C-alpha cells in the first residue's frame, strides 16, 4: 500500500489501451483479399468506363446475390470505390487513385503486382510460419527437387507466368522508376544499362525523360522478346535496346550508369558482392551504380514495407534478403566504389547510389 501512495497516479500518464491497430494489422488479410478479388474481377476497369448500379456490377461480374453489396461497400469503406445512394440501385464509381492505378486500360495500371499477389503470393504467405522455422522458400520452389534451379527457372518455364511476373515487377517499381528518371543528374553521362531490367520499363523512363541517354535493358534470354515488344510499342528502339545474358556468368554492357532494380535483394551477401563487382567492372571512373529497392532504414525500425519485402524474399528465394543503406555502403566499398548516396524516390522505395 505504501508504495502505491508514493507513485504518481497511473491514469494521469498512461494512454488508454486501444486494440484498433492490433485488429487492423492482424485481420489485414480481410481487406487485402477483398481488394485482390476486385482487381482480379477487373472491377476497377469496368467502373472506369462509366459508373454503374450495384445490380449492374453484380450481373457484369457474375456475383452471387448473397454478399455483393457487402463486397462493394467494403471497397467504399476502404477508399477504393465511391457510392451515391444505398442498396441495389446505388451508383458506384472508382475513387481517384483506384481509377488511375487499377484500370487495366490505362498505362498507369499497377495491378500486375496485385494479380500476382492474388494468384501466387497470397497462398504462399500462408506458409510464412514454415519458412521462418525452416529457412526454405515457400513458393513453387518448395516442392521442386532439391537443388533444381532458382525462383526464375520456376516462373520462366511457363510463358504466361513470365509475362505476368515481369508486368508485376514493373508495376510495383513504376513510381520509383519515374521519379529516378527525373531526379537523377544524368548531365555527365550518355549511356545507361539496367541489369536485370525485366520488361525494359526503367530504360524506357530514362529515355523518355533524358533525351541524351542511350539505354540497354539487360536480362536473361527468355525476357528479351518481352522487353523488345514494349520498347517497340514506345517507339524508342533508336535509343533503347534489349540485350540478353546472365549477370553471374557474362560481363555487363559497359555503361556510364548501371542500375539494378530489386535485384540485389534476390541474393545473399556473397552473391550481392559478385553482382556489385560486375557493375564496378563495367563502369568508367566517375560512373554510377544505382540500386532501386525498398532500402531498409539503418535502424531497421521504420521502413515496414522494406522489412516485409525481405520476408517476401524468404518466401520467394533460396538466399535473398533486403538490406539497409549501411549494408549497401559496406558492400559497394568492398567492391571498390569510393562514395555512396541515398535518394528518396517514391513511398518506401529509394535509390542507393555508389560512384566509382
Ligand atoms: C525481381 S526482378 C526485377 C525486375 C526489374 N529490375 C524491377 O526493378 O522491377 C529480377 C530480374 O532479374 C532478372 N534475372 C534473374 N537472374 C538473372 C541473371 N542470372 N542474369 C540476368 N538477369 C537475371 C530476372 O529475369 C528479372 O527480370
Amino acid at each position: 500500500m505504501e508504495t502505491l501512495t508514493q507513485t504518481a497516479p497511473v491514469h494521469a500518464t498512461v494512454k488508454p489501451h486501444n486494440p484498433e491497430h492490433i485488429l487492423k494489422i492482424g485481420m489485414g488479410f480481410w481487406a487485402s483479399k477483398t481488394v485482390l478479388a476486385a482487381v482480379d474481377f477487373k472491377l476497377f476497369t469496368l467502373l472506369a468506363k462509366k459508373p454503374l448500379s450495384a445490380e449492374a456490377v453484380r450481373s457484369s461480374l457474375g456475383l452471387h446475390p448473397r454478399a455483393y453489396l457487402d463486397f462493394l461497400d467494403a471497397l467504399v469503406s476502404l477508399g477504393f470505390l465511391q457510392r451515391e445512394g444505398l442498396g441495389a440501385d446505388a451508383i458506384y464509381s472508382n475513387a481517384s487513385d483506384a481509377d488511375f492505378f487499377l484500370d487495366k486500360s490505362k498505362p498507369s495500371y499497377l495491378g500486375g503486382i496485385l494479380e500476382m499477389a492474388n494468384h501466387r503470393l497470397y497462398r504462399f504467405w500462408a506458409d510464412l510460419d514454415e519458412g521462418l522455422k525452416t529457412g526454405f522458400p515457400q513458393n513453387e520452389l518448395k516442392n521442386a527437387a532439391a537443388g533444381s534451379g532458382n525462383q526464375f527457372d520456376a516462373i520462366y518455364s511457363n510463358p504466361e507466368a513470365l509475362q505476368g511476373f515481369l508486368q508485376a515487377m514493373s508495376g510495383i517499381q513504376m513510381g520509383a522508376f519515374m521519379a529516378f528518371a527525373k531526379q537523377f543528374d544524368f548531365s555527365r553521362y550518355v549511356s545507361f544499362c539496367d541489369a536485370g531490367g525485366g520488361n525494359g520499363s526503367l530504360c524506357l523512363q530514362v529515355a523518355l525523360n533524358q533525351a541524351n541517354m542511350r539505354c540497354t535493358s539487360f536480362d536473361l534470354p527468355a525476357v528479351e522478346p518481352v522487353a523488345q515488344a514494349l520498347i517497340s510499342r514506345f517507339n524508342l528502339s533508336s535509343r533503347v535496346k534489349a540485350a540478353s545474358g546472365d549477370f553471374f556468368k557474362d560481363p555487363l554492357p559497359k555503361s556510364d550508369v548501371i542500375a539494378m532494380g530489386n535485384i540485389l535483394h534476390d541474393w545473399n551477401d556473397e552473391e550481392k558482392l559478385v553482382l556489385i563487382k560486375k557493375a564496378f567492372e563495367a563502369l568508367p571512373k566517375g560512373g554510377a551504380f544505382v540500386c532501386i529497392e525498398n532500402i531498409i532504414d539503418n535502424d531497421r525500425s521504420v521502413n515496414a514495407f522494406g522489412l516485409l519485402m525481405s520476408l517476401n524474399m524468404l518466401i520467394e528465394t533460396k538466399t535473398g534478403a533486403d538490406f539497409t543503406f549501411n549494408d549497401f555502403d559496406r558492400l559497394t566499398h568492398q567492391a571498390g566504389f569510393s562514395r555512396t548516396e541515398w535518394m528518396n524516390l517514391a513511398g518506401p522505395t529509394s535509390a542507393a547510389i555508389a560512384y566509382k
Side-chain angles (χ1 to χ4, degrees), residues 152 156 169 173 177 196 198 219-220 223 245-247 261-263 266:
F152 300 107
Y156 289 14
M169 292 304 102
Q173 288 275 68
F177 286 172
D219 208 303
L220 293 167
V223 177
D246 180 329
F247 51 41
N262 279 343
I263 300 297
D266 287 330

Side-chain angles (χ1 to χ4, degrees), residues 31 87 164 220 234 236 246 297 306 308 325:
L220 293 167
F234 274 74
L236 278 167
D246 180 329
D297 54 296
L308 293 170
F325 182 74

Side-chain angles (χ1 to χ4, degrees), residues 24 31 115 117 128 137 155 160 211-212 265 269 286:
K24 191 171 166 189
E115 290 175 37
L128 174 66
I155 296 171
E160 217 176 288
N212 61 319
H265 76 168
D269 267 15

Side-chain angles (χ1 to χ4, degrees), residues 50-347:
K50 63 173 178 161
L52 290 174
S53 71
E55 178 50 33
V57 172
R58 190 195 70 72
S59 77
S60 296
L61 302 188
L63 302 180
H64 190 277
R66 178 169 174 196
Y68 77 106
L69 284 176
D70 289 342
F71 175 58
L72 294 177
D73 291 338
L75 289 165
V76 171
S77 71
L78 291 169
F80 284 71
L81 294 182
Q82 292 170 334
R83 187 196 64 212
E84 276 175 37
L86 205 56
D89 297 331
I91 300 296
Y92 289 82
S93 59
N94 287 335
S96 166
D97 282 346
D99 199 68
F100 187 72
F101 290 115
L102 297 178
D103 169 11
K104 215 163 178 168
S105 51
K106 292 194 176 73
S108 48
Y109 180 70
L110 62 67
I113 183 65
L114 302 183
E115 290 175 37
M116 188 178 86
N118 199 30
H119 296 145
R120 297 182 58 251
L121 299 179
Y122 192 81
R123 281 153 184 85
F124 297 149
W125 267 74
D127 293 339
L128 174 66
D129 323 38
E130 188 178 334
L132 288 168
K133 296 247 174 164
T134 62
F136 291 131
Q138 298 299 317
N139 61 1
E140 296 87 350
L141 290 172
K142 183 172 172 174
N143 298 318
S148 65
N150 61 31
Q151 67 275 17
F152 300 107
D153 301 321
I155 296 171
Y156 289 14
S157 56
N158 170 349
E160 217 176 288
L162 164 68
Q163 185 83 32
F165 176 76
L166 293 174
Q167 207 189 349
M169 292 304 102
S170 61
I172 200 169
Q173 288 275 68
M174 191 51 79
F177 286 172
M178 290 161 106
F180 174 74
K182 289 189 175 75
Q183 276 170 234
F184 183 73
D185 179 7
F186 282 95
S187 60
R188 291 181 295 142
Y189 304 123
V190 295
S191 55
F192 175 83
C193 168
D194 187 17
N199 66 7
S201 290
L202 176 56
C203 280
L204 288 168
Q205 285 305 318
V206 170
L208 285 170
N209 286 280
Q210 307 289 336
N212 61 319
M213 295 302 293
R214 284 178 289 101
C215 306
T216 305
S217 192
F218 177 94
D219 208 303
L220 293 167
V223 177
E224 189 176 332
V226 182
Q228 203 58 67
L230 191 64
I231 294 164
S232 305
R233 260 205 274 152
F234 274 74
N235 266 331
L236 278 167
S237 305
S238 60
R239 284 195 299 123
V240 183
K241 304 257 171 289
S244 295
D246 180 329
F247 51 41
F248 282 113
K249 297 187 184 139
D250 305 313
L252 295 177
K254 291 214 174 296
S255 313
D256 299 335
V257 181
I258 294 183
M260 292 188 188
N262 279 343
I263 300 297
L264 295 184
H265 76 168
D266 287 330
W267 313 100
N268 64 21
D269 267 15
E270 216 171 84
E271 294 158 331
K272 284 178 173 76
L273 191 56
V274 170
L275 293 175
I276 294 170
K277 282 182 176 164
K278 279 279 165 90
F280 186 84
E281 282 155 21
L283 286 167
K285 195 166 183 323
F289 170 56
V290 180
C291 169
I292 300 180
E293 301 218 10
N294 304 291
I295 314 278
I296 299 170
D297 54 296
N298 288 332
D299 186 50
R300 292 177 54 83
S301 60
V302 177
N303 190 351
F305 193 84
L307 289 158
L308 293 170
M309 179 62 93
S310 202
L311 288 179
N312 195 50
M313 291 303 106
L314 164 68
I315 299 281
E316 287 274 54
T317 72
K318 285 184 172 170
T319 61
D322 285 66
F323 50 93
T324 64
F325 182 74
N326 277 352
D327 295 328
F328 175 83
D329 185 72
R330 173 177 49 81
L331 288 168
T332 50
H333 276 93
Q334 232 172 303
F337 285 93
S338 57
R339 150 176 100 79
T340 57
E341 66 189 27
W342 182 339
M343 178 186 281
N344 263 321
L345 293 177

